[in-house]
Structure formats: C-alpha cells, structure tokens
Amino acid sequence: MIRPVRLADASLLAEIHADAFPEDAWPALGFMTLLANPGNEGFVSIEEGGRAAGLVILRTAAGETEVITLGVRPAMRNRGHGARLLATVIERATQRGAQTVFLEVAEDNPAAIRLYTNNSFVEVGRRPGYYRRKDGRMTALVMRRDIIEAERRSS
C-alpha cells in the first residue's frame, strides 16, 4: 500500500531514510522543511502488517517533477516497494502536468539504476562527488524520463 505523508510523519521518514541511506541520513527537521514547501509531497510504502518499508519525496514545478529522495529499507528490498513508489511519482507528475521527471542515483547502486532504466529513465548527466560515502564521495547519475501523452490521457 502507498499512502501520502503528513508533517507528523517526519520522524518516520527520517528513520526510513537512515535505514536506506546510513551514510547520508537526513534528520526529521529536514523532512518537515521539505514537506512544508509548496509543490513538495511525499509517500510511504507500507508492508502487510503495517510497517513502513520505503519513502519518496518529490517536487513538481514549472513542468518538471524532481525525485528528491526515494529509498527502501534494506530488509524490505526486492518486494516491489521501490517500483510502487516510482509508479506513484510518475502518476503524480502526470496529474500535475509535468513533462519530465528527474532524479539522481549513485553510480554504485546498480539495483536502483536498473529500476529506473526499466521504467524508461535515461542518463542525461553526472554529478561527481554528489553522495557521501565513508571512504569518500560518489558520483550521481542524473536521469530523466519524459512523460508521454498516453500517460497523460490515461490519468
């Protein structure tokens, strides 16, 4: 199940993010700040039993949607949470009239890169040193997906 997040979910979002990205965890206050900005919204993926497995925060403005962060707890990966969250991003982008969706992904994350390329994202740039790692910095791949008219008509 996917559900929208509220400001009151900031601590939960920080917990999920810390599990998914232990080297670059964001604090609850950061999520509160993000969610308070117009155009920003978030969703969580909930497992059977009610445990939050993953999150996505996105921003839509000027015809573009940006995935600010998308992550799934390591123990809950490979169960479709990332794919459902990404489908929610595409659906919201389409509903909000975006023509493109952008995101960054660490080049050392082949599972996420595969998820994005399998969902019609293509690499359009690189950001050297974008992500923190315990042994240094990692390059981010900038990826884009164009929203096609068929998606717009089906929503």
Side-chain angles (χ1 to χ4, degrees):
M1 172 181 86
I2 302 290
R3 75 160 175 82
V5 299
R6 305 171 300 275
L7 282 176
D9 291 321
S11 292
L12 173 64
L13 298 174
E15 176 189 315
I16 297 167
H17 199 270
D19 281 353
F21 306 107
E23 296 175 2
D24 197 18
W26 297 356
L29 182 59
F31 283 102
M32 288 178 72
T33 302
L34 279 171
L35 293 171
N37 286 319
N40 292 358
E41 60 186 321
F43 298 88
V44 292
S45 182
I46 308 294
E47 283 223 322
E48 282 186 40
R51 185 154 190 236
L55 75 131
V56 65
I57 306 294
L58 57 124
R59 168 186 305 126
T60 302
E64 296 180 353
T65 293
E66 175 191 6
V67 176
I68 298 169
T69 189
L70 188 156
V72 176
R73 295 177 195 263
M76 298 177 176
R77 290 179 180 157
N78 300 311
R79 298 181 191 173
H81 295 290
R84 285 189 292 277
L85 288 164
L86 188 58
T88 300
V89 169
I90 302 304
E91 180 182 327
R92 292 299 293 151
T94 302
Q95 290 169 351
R96 289 178 160 227
Q99 286 86 46
T100 55
V101 178
F102 286 94
L103 57 83
E104 288 98 9
V105 60
E107 73 176 351
D108 67 346
N109 189 342
I113 294 167
R114 194 169 35 258
L115 171 66
Y116 300 138
T117 56
N118 287 344
N119 284 277
S120 302
F121 281 82
V122 295
E123 183 181 333
V124 294
R126 293 174 162 261
R127 295 182 189 206
Y130 188 78
Y131 291 107
R132 279 181 267 183
R133 295 290 189 262
K134 62 183 167 201
D135 58 351
R137 308 289 285 185
M138 177 56 55
T139 295
L141 306 180
V142 179
M143 301 187 83
R144 182 185 83 208
R145 175 182 166 155
D146 293 325
I147 304 296
I148 57 173
E149 280 304 310
E151 289 170 321
R152 218 173 282 298
R153 285 191 300 273
S154 70
S155 62

